[in-house]
Amino acid sequence: MPAVAAFRRLATALVLLATLTLGGCASHTIFNPVTERTEVSTLTEAQLAEQAAEAREALIDEHGLYQHAPIQAYVTEIGLKVARLSHRPELPWSFTILDTDISNAFALPGGMVFVTRGMLGHLQNEAELAAVLGHEIAHVTARHGAHRANEAAFANLGVAAAINVGQFLERTGLRGAARRMKRLGLSLAAGMIATYNRDQELEADRIGADYLARAGYDAREMVGVLQMLQMIERFHADRARENQRDAPGSDWLSSHPGTDQRLREAARFTAIARHVSNDGRQRFLQRMDGLVWGDSAEKGLVRDRLFVHPRAGYAITAPPDWEVDVEGSAVALHTPQGDATLTVRLLPKLAGRTHAQVIENLLAPTEGRSAARRVGAFVGTHFVGSRLRGDVRLPLRSTIVTGPGQRLYLIDYTARDDEALQRAMAVMQTAEQSFRAITAADRRAAREWRLGSAPMPVGGFAALAKASPLLEDAEATIRLINGVYGITSADAEPAVGAIVKTVR
């Protein structure tokens, strides 16, 4: 589609977004059961539920559901146990595991609570799981997300509207519009999902600890969760320092500010909590046995320089020292300097049935030329051209490949500038030629890693690390998932024979 027509549609869509959100700004009164006060809201409970449902779809689209029925049932069981003793037991509570290795948990208005499998892998017992879920349940019952959604409504940015506009624009051929608009809606309209202020976080800790105690757990486990999150942050900072790069930190810590203060406050208000001797560790370890650790086969597995996508049936090898990053259905290979990227993605059928249709529908160029190209054993078409975006001409360089299963793939060449692209071009072309159908060797090299448990051997964590499949930072990682990373006290070391978490 021509760029001018696409941007006319963009303008129309943005008017639609403003109309949809401005229409919901009447005042409503809603009772807050935590504060026992009536609050003024621009959004009704029904409108909040509608926007939360849209946000849920976007989150699942972005991260995917973790498909493990026994673990999902266990998380739901513990979540409902806590939620039914909360200030809003009547809500239609749901507890969803997202398929990502980042450590995060968050909630949406109306009772939708999310936890990532990465977070589950770092917890030590059932009480800590209840603490994480209780904290998020508290955000819902105290209407923290609803308050943020109301602020977003005043800013004329609704989650549902942003996502609907994104889907509309995607059909016009603007590549990646849906994902960008979803992110716009989720970030700007959704204090709905975290970025709560410090007072809200402290309040959720206090309320969550109360729910924890009501459910029969030790409220002091809230302190254990915060200590675990600090360990994750320290682990990432140490890895970054070793590799001379900026520390990414923990996603949960980024969206939940003031952890040091929260830890001090949690230690204070749980100091007099009733001690509960059984924290559910044995049951928790049994239920988490087999939890995927790290990358998943659903999205593709990174093993050193090798990327394998078992579901799509392809593999590619990154150049030496390049970073491999998986995002949704795509894998990105980045230069060591981070100034050029080769991205491979499996295309949906709507993108087109032929290479020419993909170029027209997805790249939407205003000028350019195509040339036949072999990509490994497959037929490909390489396109070089540009597209106008307003007054700016954007370069396009992509290869469309008919790959495994006769599915179409897009290989994108992008860079900070033309000079960076030219420096990396020869290496990127070599990497492109490594695109292939999965071989038996690829499958052997890229099996999923899973959590298990075993008695601590005589050699301690070093022995566990040696027996694990982890390629980097094995001992540090196993210490982290056992909650003793960075702790030098001999008393913190599990005794020989104690049951600890392992990676197999």
Side-chain angles (χ1 to χ4, degrees):
M1 167 175 291
V4 172
F7 277 91
R8 284 175 183 160
R9 290 181 180 268
L10 172 61
T12 302
L14 292 176
V15 171
L16 171 64
L17 186 153
T19 303
L20 287 171
T21 51
L22 281 171
C25 287
S27 294
H28 308 276
T29 56
I30 297 177
F31 179 72
N32 186 322
V34 173
T35 63
E36 297 184 342
R37 296 174 183 171
T38 299
E39 300 173 347
V40 176
S41 173
T42 59
L43 299 171
T44 65
E45 293 280 17
Q47 288 171 323
L48 281 169
E50 182 181 354
Q51 291 201 4
E54 291 278 9
R56 182 182 188 276
E57 289 183 16
L59 286 165
I60 292 173
D61 179 58
E62 182 75 13
H63 297 294
L65 293 174
Y66 181 55
Q67 304 287 356
H68 192 297
I71 295 178
Q72 176 61 68
Y74 176 58
V75 170
T76 297
E77 174 195 340
I78 303 306
L80 289 176
K81 180 180 180 180
V82 177
R84 285 168 179 162
L85 296 168
S86 73
H87 291 87
R88 298 290 305 276
E90 80 286 354
L91 287 178
W93 293 97
S94 64
F95 299 87
T96 302
I97 306 174
L98 295 177
D99 188 18
T100 172
D101 62 349
I102 64 174
S103 298
N104 213 333
F106 39 84
L108 293 170
M112 299 180 191
V113 177
F114 300 83
V115 62
T116 66
R117 61 174 172 79
M119 175 66 88
L120 295 177
H122 286 94
L123 300 175
Q124 300 305 310
N125 53 56
E126 183 173 293
E128 286 191 354
L129 171 60
V132 169
L133 300 179
H135 175 94
E136 300 307 328
I137 289 167
H139 277 310
V140 175
T141 59
R143 304 193 71 252
H144 293 159
H147 295 159
R148 303 287 288 183
N150 275 296
E151 293 171 9
F154 278 119
N156 299 334
L157 287 166
V159 174
I163 293 171
N164 288 335
V165 170
Q167 292 168 343
F168 179 73
L169 293 178
E170 196 75 83
R171 288 193 290 271
T172 72
L174 287 179
R175 183 169 44 145
R179 172 164 293 187
R180 287 195 299 275
M181 292 301 288
K182 284 174 186 175
R183 285 179 176 168
L184 174 68
L186 289 176
S187 62
L188 297 184
M192 243 184 173
I193 306 174
T195 61
Y196 301 111
N197 63 43
R198 188 160 303 189
D199 288 341
Q200 289 173 326
E201 287 300 340
L202 291 171
E203 184 177 43
D205 287 340
R206 288 192 296 270
I207 298 169
D210 178 49
Y211 294 164
L212 201 58
R214 293 185 194 183
Y217 298 104
D218 195 323
R220 287 173 291 192
E221 294 293 344
M222 187 69 74
V223 175
V225 170
L226 292 170
Q227 290 172 333
M228 175 267 289
L229 294 168
Q230 284 190 322
M231 282 186 193
I232 295 175
E233 187 177 51
R234 189 180 308 129
F235 175 87
H236 286 298
D238 290 346
R239 302 287 80 72
R241 185 164 52 252
E242 290 172 6
N243 294 291
Q244 298 182 331
R245 64 173 186 266
D246 293 334
S250 162
D251 292 82
W252 200 94
L253 290 169
S254 298
S255 62
H256 292 64
T259 307
D260 288 340
Q261 179 188 355
R262 291 175 58 203
L263 188 53
R264 290 192 299 271
E265 289 292 314
R268 182 182 60 79
F269 65 68
T270 62
I272 59 173
R274 178 174 62 90
H275 181 67
V276 178
S277 59
N278 183 10
D279 59 9
R281 177 172 170 79
Q282 182 178 355
R283 184 170 185 245
F284 178 80
L285 293 180
Q286 289 173 345
R287 294 303 181 93
M288 290 299 127
D289 187 75
L291 178 77
V292 170
W293 175 259
D295 302 325
S296 71
E298 286 293 331
K299 297 181 179 180
L301 304 161
V302 180
R303 299 293 181 260
D304 194 18
R305 295 192 295 122
L306 173 66
F307 174 78
V308 178
H309 201 308
R311 298 289 184 267
Y314 78 92
I316 191 168
T317 302
D321 299 324
W322 283 42
E323 291 190 12
V324 184
D325 181 33
V326 180
E327 181 180 338
S329 61
V331 58
L333 314 181
H334 306 287
T335 61
Q337 300 78 22
D339 58 0
T341 300
L342 188 74
T343 304
V344 182
R345 72 184 75 245
L346 173 64
L347 296 177
K349 293 180 181 179
L350 290 176
R353 290 183 292 180
T354 67
H355 295 189
Q357 288 176 354
V358 169
I359 292 170
E360 180 182 357
N361 297 339
L362 206 56
L363 302 184
T366 49
E367 63 176 15
R369 54 186 174 79
S370 300
R373 170 182 287 188
R374 297 292 298 183
V375 179
F378 302 110
V379 173
T381 300
H382 190 66
F383 178 84
V384 179
S386 64
R387 176 177 63 229
L388 278 175
R389 179 171 292 175
D391 296 328
V392 179
R393 185 170 295 278
L394 302 176
L396 297 172
R397 183 180 287 271
S398 304
T399 303
I400 301 92
V401 184
T402 302
Q406 294 299 299
R407 300 288 300 276
L408 295 182
Y409 295 79
L410 182 71
I411 303 178
D412 258 333
Y413 290 67
T414 56
R416 182 181 302 158
D417 49 44
D418 189 61
E419 184 178 341
L421 181 63
Q422 292 308 314
R423 280 198 306 269
M425 181 63 68
V427 181
M428 295 170 90
Q429 289 175 335
T430 300
E432 180 183 84
Q433 289 303 316
S434 74
F435 177 86
R436 60 191 180 274
I438 292 179
T439 66
D442 292 331
R443 290 190 184 279
R444 286 194 299 271
R447 297 172 65 185
E448 283 182 323
W449 299 336
R450 294 180 182 270
L451 290 186
S453 57
M456 175 68 92
V458 173
F461 287 115
L464 288 174
K466 188 175 182 180
S468 81
L470 299 175
L471 302 177
E472 295 180 355
D473 305 313
E475 183 175 349
T477 298
I478 293 176
R479 282 182 172 274
L480 178 66
I481 64 175
N482 280 286
V484 294
Y485 179 78
I487 296 178
T488 57
S489 170
D491 295 338
E493 291 286 311
V496 172
I499 302 301
V500 294
K501 289 193 283 185
T502 61
V503 179
R504 64 175 189 260

